[in-house]
Amino acid sequence: MRHRHTIALSVALLAALPSAAGAAARTAHRYTSSIQVGTLSTQGGYPGLNGTAVLSGPVKINTLGDGALVDHVKIVGHPTDAIFTLAGTEVAYLSGGTVRSSYTGWALLHPDGTLSLRISGHATGGTGAYRGARGTYEFTGSTPAGSTITVGGSTGTITY
C-alpha cells in the first residue's frame, strides 16, 4: 500500500512539473526592429483626445524575421498643444507565429509639423513559436510633416 502511494505521488509530481523541452524552449532573446506604418483608418476625431486609429505596415526584427504590424492606438491625453499621450495594442504577424503587445507613450508635435514618438511596451502573448511571449521594448520614431507614415525602431527583450 505504501509503495502504491509513493508511485502515485511521484507520478503526480512529474505531471505537475514542466517538461525539460518546454522549459529549455523559453529563453530570452534581445532584439531590434525597424518599422514603417501608415494610417489605415481613424475614428473619433483622431488625433484629438479619445480619437483612435488603425495603422499597419512592414516590420523587420533581427532575431524573429520580417513580417507585418497592425496597431490600434488611442489618444488618451493632450496635456499641451504640442504633446499627445497615447495607448494601444499591436500584433506582429511573423512566419513563426504572432506576437501581441500593449504600449503607452507620447508624441511631440514640433513647430515644423514633424511628430516625434516615444513608446514603452510589453509583449502580452503570442501564437506558434511565440506562444506565451513576454517581454519589454522601447520604440522611438517620427512622422514627417504632412505625412501619415511613421518610421522608427525598437529595442527590447522577448521570452518565448
Side-chain angles (χ1 to χ4, degrees), residues 23-52:
R26 295 194 56 82
T27 58
H29 305 271
R30 293 203 45 78
Y31 73 91
T32 60
S33 74
S34 61
I35 71 158
Q36 181 177 357
V37 293
T39 305
L40 296 178
S41 67
T42 64
Q43 286 187 319
Y46 181 88
L49 186 60
N50 294 317
T52 61

Side-chain angles (χ1 to χ4, degrees), residues 1-159:
M1 179 81 164
R2 176 180 247 195
H3 183 67
R4 270 193 245 165
H5 286 292
T6 303
I7 292 173
L9 181 59
S10 297
V11 170
L13 286 172
L14 285 173
L17 295 173
S19 71
R26 295 194 56 82
T27 58
H29 305 271
R30 293 203 45 78
Y31 73 91
T32 60
S33 74
S34 61
I35 71 158
Q36 181 177 357
V37 293
T39 305
L40 296 178
S41 67
T42 64
Q43 286 187 319
Y46 181 88
L49 186 60
N50 294 317
T52 61
V54 177
L55 308 131
S56 184
V59 61
K60 293 180 183 230
I61 305 173
N62 68 332
T63 57
L64 306 180
D66 297 349
L69 283 179
V70 176
D71 274 86
H72 294 261
V73 63
K74 180 177 184 176
I75 303 300
V76 296
H78 197 24
T80 72
D81 288 343
I83 297 175
F84 302 81
T85 56
L86 52 99
T89 60
E90 79 180 4
V91 178
Y93 295 89
L94 306 162
S95 63
T98 64
V99 177
R100 293 183 310 276
S101 68
S102 296
Y103 57 85
T104 59
W106 54 264
L108 172 63
L109 182 60
H110 296 278
D112 69 357
T114 301
L115 191 68
S116 297
L117 295 134
R118 177 77 173 177
I119 291 171
S120 297
H122 61 278
T124 59
T127 64
Y130 316 114
R131 184 174 177 196
R134 295 287 183 259
T136 59
Y137 63 91
E138 295 292 324
F139 170 83
T140 56
S142 64
T143 307
S147 178
T148 59
I149 304 295
T150 299
V151 176
S154 63
T155 60
T157 303
I158 185 169
T159 302

